[in-house]
Amino acid sequence: MGPHESVRPRRATIAEVAAVMGVSKGTVSRALNGYPDIAEATRLRAMRTAERLGYRPLGSAQAIRTGRCRALGLVIETGTHDAYRPFLAEFLAGLSDGAAAEGWTLTVASAPEGDAVATYERLLSDRKADGFVLPRTRVTDPRVATLRAADVPFVLFGRHGDPDGCAWFDIDMEAAMRGSVLRLAARGHGRIAFVGGSRAHTYEALREAGYRAGMAEAGLAVAEGHVHHGAIDRESGEAAFAKMLDGPSPPTAFVCAIDAAALGLWRAAADRGLVVGRDLAVIGYDGAPDGARAEPPLATWAVDYAAAGRRLAALLIRRVRGEAPEALREIAPATFLDRGSAGSGPTESTGRSDS
């Protein structure tokens, strides 16, 4: 052996793992491959023992034995509106960590928005993924229809109007919107508007429902013209705010479905001699980094996207292993960040809002 050659560490064998555990090689194999007839305690013990000994099953051989490649798939749809773009790095990190915790990997591909079905089919035919995480669910979602028809495991980051065969992890956005209204009402606002995002996505109806529930609980009427859809970025948000501020009985407070649209209020207010946090109040949703840099900072509901990624990975692996989708549905709370844009009650410059 030459002076610059190194010896590759010997790969531990499944027989050695089985000997340490005092079980058969078949039990170890079935435990590491997630077979449902193996107790969870045995599976975890096998994983820890294999990791301690340095045993790693050869991916190709394992795929032949189990029909699985032990990989989770994510297709990122590129387009003009991507609500997860500010959080993509932490979301991917969470998914990757969740997969790695079970000895799986994450396969990521991209496709044009609304034209991703071929990409899913290619990843499946190339044995690149055993199942998929579907973010940004849509009211009419061809991804769900395709994977459901092909009996391919998937987990939604969001919900779907037709829950048949759907597992999901989602955030309790209805509670967040309701909480926004009740906070603003408690500060004296009566004319509270809703600025929503894309009606093509399922989040929109859920967030509007939360807003309306909050208005009803606060004893406030939803005024005609105080519900707007289609604000997906700062520019379209500014246009929505401008239209309402120039209308009759303008709102003094706004609940926004996404932070990107909420940030359009600053310019709309300045153009009318108004100040956010003093004359107008606004609460967003997402916890986007740009909101913290506004002056005053945007009050919002923050979502832990890394934690969401970890849970989605765990749920998808359980789905691939055969658990029923109805048993894999979780809703987690968002965290309210009470910042300056929530402001105090309406001022004389905007008029009392209880009329």
Side-chain angles (χ1 to χ4, degrees):
M1 181 180 297
H4 300 294
E5 294 183 54
S6 60
V7 177
R8 178 176 296 179
R10 186 180 67 83
R11 189 184 190 92
T13 67
I14 193 170
E16 290 171 327
V17 176
V20 170
M21 292 180 62
V23 298
S24 70
K25 291 190 296 182
T27 297
V28 173
S29 176
R30 296 180 71 81
L32 293 178
N33 288 314
Y35 282 84
D37 61 330
I38 300 297
E40 180 68 8
T42 302
R43 187 182 69 83
L44 292 173
R45 184 171 163 233
M47 288 181 61
R48 295 190 185 107
T49 304
E51 183 176 2
R52 177 164 55 85
L53 296 179
Y55 171 70
R56 295 289 184 273
L58 292 173
S60 57
Q62 188 177 55
I64 292 170
R65 290 195 305 271
T66 67
R68 298 177 189 157
C69 56
R70 295 177 66 87
L72 309 181
L74 174 71
V75 177
I76 300 171
E77 297 188 61
T78 58
T80 55
H81 170 46
D82 188 343
Y84 293 106
R85 188 172 296 156
F87 318 100
L88 187 58
E90 55 189 279
F91 183 58
L92 288 174
L95 278 173
S96 183
D97 288 347
E102 294 281 355
W104 290 48
T105 59
L106 176 66
T107 298
V108 181
S110 63
E113 186 172 21
D115 190 28
V117 170
T119 303
Y120 286 95
E121 292 173 342
R122 175 176 57 80
L123 291 174
L124 286 169
S125 64
D126 292 346
R127 300 174 62 85
K128 298 294 186 182
D130 296 308
F132 296 93
V133 171
L134 307 184
R136 296 186 61 220
T137 52
R138 292 186 285 271
V139 175
T140 302
D141 202 320
R143 302 172 303 174
V144 172
T146 298
L147 297 177
R148 183 190 279 154
D151 197 25
V152 174
F154 63 90
V155 175
L156 309 176
F157 187 14
R159 277 165 273 176
H160 196 267
D162 178 6
D164 183 46
C166 293
W168 62 66
F169 177 86
D170 202 9
I171 307 301
D172 194 350
M173 57 191 78
E174 304 100 306
M177 298 294 105
R178 171 182 164 275
S180 293
V181 171
L182 295 179
R183 281 172 168 81
L184 294 168
R187 293 173 181 177
H189 294 279
R191 297 198 301 271
I192 304 172
F194 175 76
V195 178
S198 168
R199 299 186 86 164
H201 291 86
T202 55
Y203 74 78
E204 179 70 356
L206 294 169
R207 294 179 198 182
E208 182 182 351
Y211 158 78
R212 291 185 179 276
M215 293 291 282
E217 186 171 339
L220 300 174
V222 177
E224 183 179 355
H226 284 189
V227 174
H228 181 96
H229 299 279
I232 60 174
D233 53 25
R234 196 178 301 230
E235 289 71 27
S236 52
E238 180 184 347
F241 295 125
K243 181 177 181 180
M244 286 190 272
L245 289 173
D246 292 340
S249 299
T252 62
F254 300 88
V255 172
C256 295
I258 56 176
D259 285 352
L263 292 169
L265 180 59
W266 272 251
R267 181 176 293 178
D271 288 347
R272 290 155 182 80
L274 302 173
V275 176
V276 175
R278 185 193 71 189
D279 305 314
L280 300 170
V282 60
I283 299 176
Y285 180 95
D286 276 332
D290 285 352
R293 294 190 284 268
E295 183 53 50
L298 174 64
T300 186
W301 293 85
V303 176
D304 188 338
Y305 285 92
R310 289 191 292 272
R311 285 308 301 154
L312 284 160
L315 292 172
L316 180 53
I317 291 171
R318 289 167 60 185
R319 181 75 187 96
V320 170
R321 287 172 173 161
E323 290 193 43
E326 294 77 14
L328 302 173
R329 295 172 178 172
E330 296 182 2
I331 306 292
T335 301
F336 185 59
L337 304 180
D338 193 357
R339 296 168 173 164
S341 75
S344 56
T347 64
E348 291 185 4
S349 61
T350 54
R352 292 301 304 172
S353 68
D354 53 3
S355 58

